Amino acid sequence: MLPMRRFSVFIVATGLIMLAMSIATSAATPAEPLASKHTNPGSNLAAQQAGTYTSPDYGYSLSWDATWQADEPTALGGRNFLRLRQEGLKAELIGEVLEPTEDTCFEAIADDYDSNPSYSEVVTTVTETSDENVITGTIAIVYTSQSDSSTTDYVIEILCAPIPDTPNAVVMLKQTVLASDLAAHAETIEDLRAGFALNEETDQPEPISPTPTPTPTPTMTPTVLAVEITTPTPALPTAEAASPSNRYVSPSYGFSFTWDDSWQVTDETSENGLDILSLDNGSAFASLYGESWVPGSVTCVEWNVQAFAALDVYTDVEIVDSTTSADGRSTAVVTLTFWDNGNAVPFTLHLHCSPLPTNSNAVVTLAIFVQTDLAAAQESAIAALIAGVDPAGADAD
């Protein structure tokens, strides 16, 4: 099965993130905790208004006042996700089933923040509540920009709890704010936390005042990857046949892949059962990856879409077309908005997943990413690239 980390940062471990990294024209940059898109929300957000959300899978609820803007919530593969935001403050409500662990939900969140070098000086403070099953607390972090090495202090106010009657399921409410703005947002943070309820019978936890950031002890810590992009120059694909050198055979799974000379290989890795090949034709970016996969209620395509929806730098993730063939191959066309320094950039994602005939517990996925205004010009190049995937490895020497 695809590597399953506990929260949105789990996506960094999958081949999908390698696609996001290959899109960059320079090194990929971790997303800043408040994300630059919040400064220019654009038309994809609802107007500021009060609202109430109820998890379709787990039944918990959250109510908020008119100071918040809400993204469209998602529910896919047992993961329910809602993002709210206002100037200088971001909130994420996540419900999902986790792998069994002895860690509390708060400890699991802190561990994720403590596992990526883009964050440092992680300090946690846990606060008792009236409900022993509900954990609240504060995580203080220092974010370091990879582009200019500048640092910014953030505070993340956490509420998390196991979901009744659903083994290993938890709900997490995370509110992120600049450390310098914590006092100014204290009342808003408390009000949103007070609007949370596990279900109608569950008492709400006592709201807490945000705790001043303790003196940090330096450690290393996580992030969701963002992507730096530049607008590519439109280029019509050439009708070149694949040359003998334009052939890849997965070292771990044996599937093969061919492409024509309009594409250039930008990266190739094979590590811990994850084989990745990334390509670029100047207008579109593609990643082919093979990995272990245990078929279940969520298809490979659905999992990939869920992964993009969980990343903070993408909004409006929507499947506009999908098909599944008799041999189990599935394809989808997905539209999404990428936020680049406060600017909304529409993208189209073509996904193609194929089970491997020689390994029922593995899958090969081709993900092709192109700016929407260039998508029509890239249709033939994308179709030819998808046709180059051979799950059986018939093209291998």
Side-chain angles (χ1 to χ4, degrees):
M1 189 171 192
L2 284 172
M4 184 65 175
R5 292 297 299 280
R6 285 173 280 235
F7 313 106
S8 60
V9 294
F10 74 86
I11 306 301
V12 300
T14 70
L16 181 60
I17 268 299
M18 300 309 295
L19 167 64
M21 292 174 68
S22 70
I23 295 169
T25 56
S26 58
T29 305
E32 195 165 353
L34 287 180
S36 58
K37 67 183 181 183
H38 301 301
T39 62
N40 183 14
S43 60
N44 64 303
L45 292 177
Q48 285 182 308
Q49 57 184 359
T52 298
Y53 166 83
T54 300
S55 165
D57 291 334
Y58 305 111
Y60 59 79
S61 64
L62 182 69
S63 298
W64 59 91
D65 62 28
T67 63
W68 292 95
Q69 292 174 302
D71 287 344
E72 187 69 23
T74 61
L76 188 61
R79 188 175 195 270
N80 294 181
F81 182 81
L82 172 71
R83 181 186 293 118
L84 304 170
R85 66 188 77 156
Q86 57 178 270
E87 187 66 30
L89 182 62
K90 179 183 70 175
E92 294 174 318
L93 182 68
I94 306 166
E96 61 187 345
V97 176
L98 308 182
E99 295 180 356
T101 176
E102 294 182 358
D103 290 346
T104 67
C105 54
F106 185 89
E107 290 170 339
I109 296 172
D111 287 346
D112 276 338
Y113 278 107
D114 200 38
S115 64
N116 188 291
S118 294
Y119 296 128
S120 61
E121 302 184 19
V122 178
V123 178
T124 61
T125 304
V126 177
T127 305
E128 294 184 0
T129 70
S130 57
D131 186 338
E132 63 180 12
N133 292 319
V134 176
I135 302 174
T136 61
T138 298
I139 301 176
I141 60 174
V142 176
Y143 168 78
T144 301
S145 170
Q146 290 189 0
S147 61
D148 59 11
S149 298
S150 62
T151 60
T152 309
D153 294 342
Y154 288 94
V155 171
I156 305 159
E157 292 287 348
I158 303 292
L159 178 151
C160 65
I163 297 173
D165 303 321
T166 307
N168 301 319
V170 299
V171 56
M172 300 158 278
L173 175 62
K174 303 192 294 183
Q175 300 185 71
T176 304
V177 63
L178 286 168
S180 59
D181 293 341
L182 180 59
H185 288 285
E187 184 176 351
T188 301
I189 291 170
E190 289 184 3
D191 287 346
L192 187 64
R193 184 175 287 172
F196 170 80
L198 278 174
N199 52 50
E200 293 181 356
E201 290 73 37
T202 301
D203 293 332
Q204 297 177 8
E206 296 175 353
I208 64 168
S209 299
T211 307
T213 304
T215 302
T217 301
T219 57
M220 298 301 291
T221 23
T223 189
V224 173
L225 292 179
V227 179
E228 293 181 5
I229 62 169
T230 56
T231 303
T233 302
L236 292 174
T238 58
E240 301 176 58
S243 69
S245 61
N246 295 342
R247 177 176 296 151
Y248 168 82
V249 178
S250 164
S252 300
Y253 303 103
F255 62 81
S256 65
F257 180 55
T258 57
W259 60 95
D260 65 38
D261 288 335
S262 66
W263 295 90
Q264 301 294 319
V265 174
T266 58
D267 191 29
E268 179 180 345
T269 62
S270 179
E271 185 176 358
N272 298 324
L274 178 62
D275 294 354
I276 303 173
L277 180 74
S278 299
L279 305 97
D280 177 355
N281 75 353
S283 297
F285 311 87
S287 274
L288 179 84
Y289 46 99
E291 58 199 330
S292 60
W293 172 262
V294 178
S297 59
V298 179
T299 67
C300 170
V301 161
E302 289 173 334
W303 174 261
N304 279 272
V305 172
Q306 174 186 340
F308 266 107
L311 290 173
D312 194 53
V313 292
Y314 296 108
T315 57
D316 303 323
V317 180
E318 180 181 0
I319 298 176
V320 295
D321 186 33
S322 63
T323 60
T324 302
S325 62
D327 62 0
R329 296 192 185 200
S330 56
T331 62
V333 178
V334 181
T335 57
L336 68 170
T337 300
F338 170 72
W339 289 87
D340 179 35
N341 294 321
N343 299 313
V345 184
F347 271 84
T348 299
L349 171 66
H350 291 259
L351 285 170
H352 175 82
C353 290
S354 298
L356 303 184
T358 58
N359 187 342
S360 60
N361 291 323
V363 66
V364 54
T365 301
L366 177 64
I368 307 169
F369 210 76
V370 60
Q371 281 189 220
T372 299
D373 58 356
L374 305 177
Q378 292 295 311
E379 283 184 0
S380 61
I382 291 170
L385 203 60
I386 291 174
V389 178
D390 188 308
D395 291 329
D397 291 328

